[in-house]
Amino acid sequence: MEIAVGTSSASMEHLLVKLEGLLSQEHALIQHVRGDIQYISDQLAAVRAFLLGHRAPAAESAQRRRDRDGEQMKLWVKLTRDLAYNVEDCVDDIRLWLNRVPEPTGDGLMSSLGRAWYAISTVYVRRDIAAKISALKLRAHHLGAPSPWCDVATTLESYTTAGDTLSGRSYTAAGPGAASFMGMVGMEQAMGELGQWLTTTSRVRDSRKVLAIVGCRGLGKRTLAAGLRCAAGEQFDCRVSVVASRKLRVEAFLRSLLKQIMPRAAYNDLQIGGMDGWEVRRLKEKVEEQLLDRRYIVVIDDVCSVPSCELILNSLPENQKDSRIVVTTRFHAVAEAIGRLEQGHVYKLNPLSVHDSYLLLLRRTFGSNYQCSNEIDWRTSRILDKCGGVPLALVALAGLLGCKLKSDPNWIRVCDSVNSELEKEHLPDEVTAKIIYLCYEDLPADLKTCMLYLSTFPVGLNISKKRVIRRWIAEGFIAEKHGKTAEQVADDCFDQLFKRSMISAVDIGTNGEVKTFQVHEMILDYILRKSNEEGFITVIDEDCPGLMPRSKIRWLSVHGSTNSTRAKEVMKTVSLLHVRSLTSSRTMKQLSSFKILQVLDLEGCEDLTADQLVKICKMYLLKYLSLRRTYMKGLPSVIGRLKYLEILDIRETNVQRLPTSVKCLQRMTHLLCGDKSRHLSLTFTVEIAEMLELQTLSGIEIDTASAEAFAAIHKLTKLKKLSIYNLKVQTENRSRSFEHLLFAILTLTACSLTSLAIDDGFTGFLINILVNLSTFPSYLRALELSGGLNKVPEWIVHLHSLEKLSLSLTSLRTDSLVLISKLPVLFSLTFSVNSARQRPGVLSIQIENLLNSVGEIFVPPDGFSNLQTLRILAVGLPVQLISFLEGAMPALQRLEVRCRMFEGIYGLETLENLSQVHLEVSQQASEVAKEKVRQTRSSVSNHPNRPAIIFDEYFE
């Protein structure tokens, strides 16, 4: 029942806000039904209050909740949810009419005649609205919240009678109702055996070798393959990882390969040039061109059939470079087919031992530093026996145990409770599925809604955390609570899912937070089925033909093309008029059927045309619109019609200027633009300055030639994040322009701005103006400066709230580190020098850097008390010798160095908390530089913490 509670509770909270907004409008279309709308609003508020009060305590078992609620309560909640959806559909229809048919205003004869004509012309609309509201009022009246004097059965009987009335039958009066999923634990032996297979080469380099890792779901095949890929190190010129779909799409597979093996700029050029329309033959030729002269290792995860395996192997060139292909599969037929190859090898992955299972369970429950006892108590032993050594089951169960222990710290009671739930299951897959079920059932109602929403995304996709959080809010699942903003509440929900091991991190940002994540295939299968049962997310996927959509679709996700047989079949048989959320990442030809759409995510969508963009601008109720990576050149001039739009994502497109009508987008809170990899940015205009609700403005270019726009930037007083990708400054007004920009920045930081990024394009703004501030932005939490700086601003020591600092194209010296070390809460520090940008002045900065540092940089022993991430990125330029003195950076956990010319790092053994070292070297690096990297890697291996070492190569 809980998912229905979660969905209806969240939906109704959002709906009640909509109803309140509708009632606040003085409009002729709703004047005659205002009382009915208020009644429906009151009834739904009472229902929501009942649902919230009816939730089970967190410690109560799922079985007791099921026994208590019964089938009648489940049915009542389902009907309540459907009523809420229908009311919201009706409200959205009315809002649509209010936008399309504005009521004449003003005094005088002509205005009076206009209102009279409006009353005549909208008579049928008003009748239709009245009929719908009346029917919904009747349903709300009879469905109401069960009360102490009216049980659920009576309420359902009343509702059934009301249903007969709505169907045109006789009416009988009834009483009113009341107002990284798995670590490498236990895989050391497998890594040792397969590491030898990976690195051993013949005297004469022969053809590629293929490895199949086979085992049941949840054993950690992907984790092992990823470990092998990282361990490959500098022995391979190219390392790639691809997830194979259940029904292999060769074109998508080859495009994914190209994206990883090509320089990003070259790949983007192919995308813009129409690579999405290439045939398989042409894509294969491009892959062969890229890999022919390179020794590669390719990891292909989750291959499901022998024909798919053959297609994959035939797509990769046999280049006589002793390359490696690693395939993970749960099907023995695929492994046997690989084993029959001349250079084939099969590795059967076995479950973890009891000892390793014990370590994994307790360390994921109590933390990685937990000291496990050598003796295993019998209750824990029973849990381990049930899990059968399956890492996914152990990790998911650890998340469940951790949450249960917060409400009941008694380990014995919690273990007994879990053991009783798992008593009937015997097979590993059954036990893992039951644990996933228990983890899901233990989620609070609102978290269930958020979790089910992740079924929107296909298996194997790296999902952006920010993308999901913004969509949760736009859908109305998250709202302000207990003094926290919606973004903070959504952040908390995400963290809960992560701590419960329902999702796993793929990429961790420099601030220590998850940037991208994945949902394990078994968990995704479960939430897909659950979402389908509840009529929540409808997924159209060729790989999942068994998921049958309901007659009314409200949340739609298309995995693949809308031109596929499955998509065409579904769209012919169901109504799309009620769809309020649409996600598609391939092609989307049919856009005219969606009238009340509020969330439209077309990130990465192919073949988006200008006509389709015009159709999108007719979706008047849109709140969230993502056109990221669609490579369109501009937005329609009628974009201003989308008056409810709050989030617009046009990053990695070719849009460099917005139409003047964007000044009408007064609800816009997040405007995301630009493309750093191609140095493209969106010109800031006076119309953007009219979006007074903006909180995020990223990827813009400020042109001081447009004086009016330039002077208006300080009006955006609600801005929390500002990213300026480029400055264009007129030579004759340079000083005055700099003063205006400085005034705007200081004004914004005095209001709400906490994150600031500026690339001054070597105009001199940073070195001539920003360095010499007398008043400084005290409340900044994140600062990124790119330009001709030759020293760190001295006022930076006063930024006591600064957590993240990035200094790009900046001279790196010991005295700079001494200054920065005084920042008390600095969490992440990045130095970046990139000569690939071909800007004047880069070489002079590097020469000055070398002269002033005498070829060596010392990290001071005092300060940096909170720093956990240090990144030194010198693409194409030398990194001097870096020495960590005793006591330097005591909290440092992650060190990342990216360079072409490398002198070495000393003193790593003094970093007590070091847990990860990421070394990236250019493919054009000299053998001397690569040898020094190998030496550094060897010294890291001897560190007492045995930190994870990631070695990689990059394109320049």
Side-chain angles (χ1 to χ4, degrees), residues 369-389:
N369 295 324
Y370 184 76
Q371 297 299 317
C372 302
S373 169
N374 292 327
E375 295 183 4
I376 306 175
D377 65 273
W378 67 270
R379 289 181 174 84
T380 308
S381 180
R382 283 179 63 194
I383 289 178
L384 297 177
D385 288 344
K386 284 294 181 183
C387 290

Side-chain angles (χ1 to χ4, degrees), residues 683 701-706 710 726-730 737 760 763:
T683 302
E701 174 183 271
I702 294 182
D703 188 348
T704 58
S706 177
F710 186 60
N726 193 32
L727 288 181
K728 276 189 179 180
V729 182
Q730 301 299 311
S737 298
D760 75 347
T763 56

Side-chain angles (χ1 to χ4, degrees), residues 579-615:
V579 175
R580 61 183 60 151
S581 176
L582 172 63
T583 304
S584 178
S585 58
R586 291 284 299 283
T587 59
M588 195 68 210
K589 298 296 183 184
Q590 189 175 351
L591 281 172
S592 56
S593 304
F594 308 105
K595 303 298 183 185
I596 59 172
L597 205 64
Q598 295 170 46
V599 172
L600 179 58
D601 192 337
L602 300 178
E603 183 172 323
C605 206
E606 305 163 7
D607 304 327
L608 199 62
T609 65
D611 289 340
Q612 288 174 308
L613 290 174
V614 172
K615 289 178 181 177

Side-chain angles (χ1 to χ4, degrees), residues 535-597:
F536 187 31
I537 308 291
T538 298
V539 175
I540 300 177
D541 192 346
E542 294 285 345
D543 294 337
C544 303
L547 296 176
M548 297 305 296
R550 305 179 77 193
S551 57
K552 283 186 180 180
I553 297 177
R554 290 184 170 86
W555 291 271
L556 177 61
S557 179
V558 183
H559 298 177
S561 171
T562 51
N563 291 326
S564 67
T565 305
R566 171 71 175 158
K568 289 179 179 177
E569 176 187 331
V570 170
M571 291 187 174
K572 280 182 181 178
T573 55
V574 299
S575 170
L576 301 177
L577 295 175
H578 303 279
V579 175
R580 61 183 60 151
S581 176
L582 172 63
T583 304
S584 178
S585 58
R586 291 284 299 283
T587 59
M588 195 68 210
K589 298 296 183 184
Q590 189 175 351
L591 281 172
S592 56
S593 304
F594 308 105
K595 303 298 183 185
I596 59 172
L597 205 64

Side-chain angles (χ1 to χ4, degrees), residues 438-696:
L438 292 175
C439 292
Y440 173 79
E441 285 297 315
D442 192 65
L443 294 174
D446 292 340
L447 270 184
K448 285 182 178 177
T449 305
C450 293
M451 186 66 208
L452 282 197
Y453 193 72
L454 299 183
S455 63
T456 301
F457 304 101
V459 65
L461 180 70
N462 292 344
I463 311 166
S464 164
K465 173 187 173 180
K466 286 186 177 180
R467 180 185 183 188
V468 166
I469 281 179
R470 286 170 180 149
R471 286 186 54 167
W472 281 345
I473 295 170
E475 295 281 9
F477 302 147
I478 303 291
E480 296 178 2
K481 187 188 296 183
H482 306 313
K484 291 185 175 181
T485 65
E487 287 81 5
Q488 290 171 330
V489 175
D491 238 354
D492 292 343
C493 289
F494 183 90
D495 290 343
Q496 280 294 311
L497 292 178
F498 181 67
K499 289 174 182 176
R500 290 169 178 264
S501 299
M502 301 299 284
I503 57 178
S504 65
V506 174
D507 186 21
I508 304 294
T510 55
N511 59 356
E513 295 184 358
V514 177
K515 286 183 68 176
T516 59
F517 67 96
Q518 281 190 1
V519 183
H520 192 278
E521 183 188 6
M522 285 191 75
I523 297 177
L524 186 61
D525 282 347
Y526 177 81
I527 63 174
L528 269 170
R529 290 196 307 273
K530 192 71 177 174
S531 184
N532 192 59
E533 288 172 12
E534 296 292 340
F536 187 31
I537 308 291
T538 298
V539 175
I540 300 177
D541 192 346
E542 294 285 345
D543 294 337
C544 303
L547 296 176
M548 297 305 296
R550 305 179 77 193
S551 57
K552 283 186 180 180
I553 297 177
R554 290 184 170 86
W555 291 271
L556 177 61
S557 179
V558 183
H559 298 177
S561 171
T562 51
N563 291 326
S564 67
T565 305
R566 171 71 175 158
K568 289 179 179 177
E569 176 187 331
V570 170
M571 291 187 174
K572 280 182 181 178
T573 55
V574 299
S575 170
L576 301 177
L577 295 175
H578 303 279
V579 175
R580 61 183 60 151
S581 176
L582 172 63
T583 304
S584 178
S585 58
R586 291 284 299 283
T587 59
M588 195 68 210
K589 298 296 183 184
Q590 189 175 351
L591 281 172
S592 56
S593 304
F594 308 105
K595 303 298 183 185
I596 59 172
L597 205 64
Q598 295 170 46
V599 172
L600 179 58
D601 192 337
L602 300 178
E603 183 172 323
C605 206
E606 305 163 7
D607 304 327
L608 199 62
T609 65
D611 289 340
Q612 288 174 308
L613 290 174
V614 172
K615 289 178 181 177
I616 290 172
C617 292
K618 293 180 181 179
M619 301 172 184
Y620 302 108
L621 303 182
L622 270 183
K623 295 174 64 180
Y624 178 103
L625 175 59
S626 176
L627 301 170
R628 188 175 185 178
R629 289 203 307 274
T630 57
Y631 296 103
M632 57 181 185
K633 295 180 179 179
L635 293 175
S637 59
V638 290
I639 185 77
R641 293 175 180 173
L642 305 179
K643 295 181 180 179
Y644 293 97
L645 195 62
E646 297 177 3
I647 299 169
L648 177 61
D649 190 348
I650 50 173
R651 288 173 292 180
E652 298 174 70
T653 66
N654 295 315
V655 178
Q656 293 181 266
R657 196 175 187 90
L658 294 179
T660 57
S661 64
V662 296
K663 64 184 178 183
C664 300
L665 306 180
Q666 290 298 302
R667 300 185 183 217
M668 185 74 72
T669 55
H670 302 283
L671 180 56
L672 312 169
C673 332
D675 187 345
K676 272 191 175 180
S677 66
R678 294 186 292 148
H679 312 300
L680 292 180
S681 48
L682 182 80
T683 302
F684 182 81
T685 61
V686 68
E687 289 80 19
I688 296 176
E690 295 297 320
M691 301 178 185
L692 300 182
E693 296 297 317
L694 271 180
Q695 297 178 22
T696 302

Side-chain angles (χ1 to χ4, degrees), residues 617-912:
C617 292
K618 293 180 181 179
M619 301 172 184
Y620 302 108
L621 303 182
L622 270 183
K623 295 174 64 180
Y624 178 103
L625 175 59
S626 176
L627 301 170
R628 188 175 185 178
R629 289 203 307 274
T630 57
Y631 296 103
M632 57 181 185
K633 295 180 179 179
L635 293 175
S637 59
V638 290
I639 185 77
R641 293 175 180 173
L642 305 179
K643 295 181 180 179
Y644 293 97
L645 195 62
E646 297 177 3
I647 299 169
L648 177 61
D649 190 348
I650 50 173
R651 288 173 292 180
E652 298 174 70
T653 66
N654 295 315
V655 178
Q656 293 181 266
R657 196 175 187 90
L658 294 179
T660 57
S661 64
V662 296
K663 64 184 178 183
C664 300
L665 306 180
Q666 290 298 302
R667 300 185 183 217
M668 185 74 72
T669 55
H670 302 283
L671 180 56
L672 312 169
C673 332
D675 187 345
K676 272 191 175 180
S677 66
R678 294 186 292 148
H679 312 300
L680 292 180
S681 48
L682 182 80
T683 302
F684 182 81
T685 61
V686 68
E687 289 80 19
I688 296 176
E690 295 297 320
M691 301 178 185
L692 300 182
E693 296 297 317
L694 271 180
Q695 297 178 22
T696 302
L697 179 58
S698 67
I700 63 167
E701 174 183 271
I702 294 182
D703 188 348
T704 58
S706 177
E708 189 179 0
F710 186 60
I713 192 171
H714 71 275
K715 292 162 57 177
L716 303 175
T717 55
K718 293 186 179 181
L719 264 186
K720 296 179 180 178
K721 179 178 181 180
L722 174 63
S723 298
I724 301 172
Y725 281 9
N726 193 32
L727 288 181
K728 276 189 179 180
V729 182
Q730 301 299 311
T731 306
E732 59 273 15
N733 294 318
R734 183 180 296 263
S735 298
R736 187 171 181 180
S737 298
F738 284 166
E739 290 173 5
H740 282 305
L741 180 58
L742 182 61
F743 170 76
I745 290 172
L746 293 176
T747 300
L748 295 176
T749 52
C751 297
S752 303
L753 196 69
T754 58
S755 176
L756 174 65
I758 302 178
D759 186 336
D760 75 347
F762 280 90
T763 56
F765 174 72
L766 296 182
I767 189 62
N768 295 321
I769 303 297
L770 205 64
V771 165
N772 302 314
L773 284 182
S774 56
T775 304
F776 31 84
S778 306
Y779 302 108
L780 284 179
R781 296 175 60 188
L783 176 63
E784 179 177 344
L785 302 178
S786 303
L789 278 174
N790 56 10
K791 64 177 182 178
V792 176
E794 292 184 5
W795 49 260
I796 210 165
V797 297
H798 298 289
L799 305 187
H800 300 303
S801 301
L802 196 65
E803 299 172 358
K804 181 178 177 181
L805 176 62
S806 180
L807 300 174
S808 302
L809 292 171
T810 304
S811 179
L812 177 57
R813 305 195 306 253
T814 299
D815 60 344
S816 299
L817 286 173
V818 171
L819 191 63
I820 297 170
S821 69
K822 299 175 183 177
L823 295 172
V825 295
L826 188 66
F827 185 94
S828 168
L829 175 61
T830 300
F831 287 102
S832 175
V833 183
N834 186 351
S835 67
R837 300 177 71 173
Q838 301 297 327
R839 287 184 166 177
V842 177
L843 185 59
S844 63
I845 289 175
Q846 186 60 27
I847 292 172
E848 183 175 359
N849 184 9
L850 292 171
L851 290 174
N852 287 314
S853 62
V854 200
E856 187 169 3
I857 298 171
F858 292 96
V859 182
D862 299 317
F864 290 116
S865 58
N866 198 51
L867 190 73
Q868 296 189 27
T869 300
L870 174 63
R871 303 168 74 226
I872 301 174
L873 314 177
V875 181
L877 293 171
V879 168
Q880 302 99 299
L881 185 67
I882 301 173
S883 295
F884 290 91
L885 302 180
E886 186 73 34
M889 297 187 178
L892 191 70
Q893 296 181 16
R894 178 181 176 185
L895 173 64
E896 181 177 344
V897 178
R898 192 180 201 205
C899 60
R900 181 199 285 186
M901 292 165 275
F902 183 72
E903 293 297 323
I905 302 177
Y906 292 104
L908 290 176
E909 68 279 358
T910 67
L911 303 175
E912 298 178 356

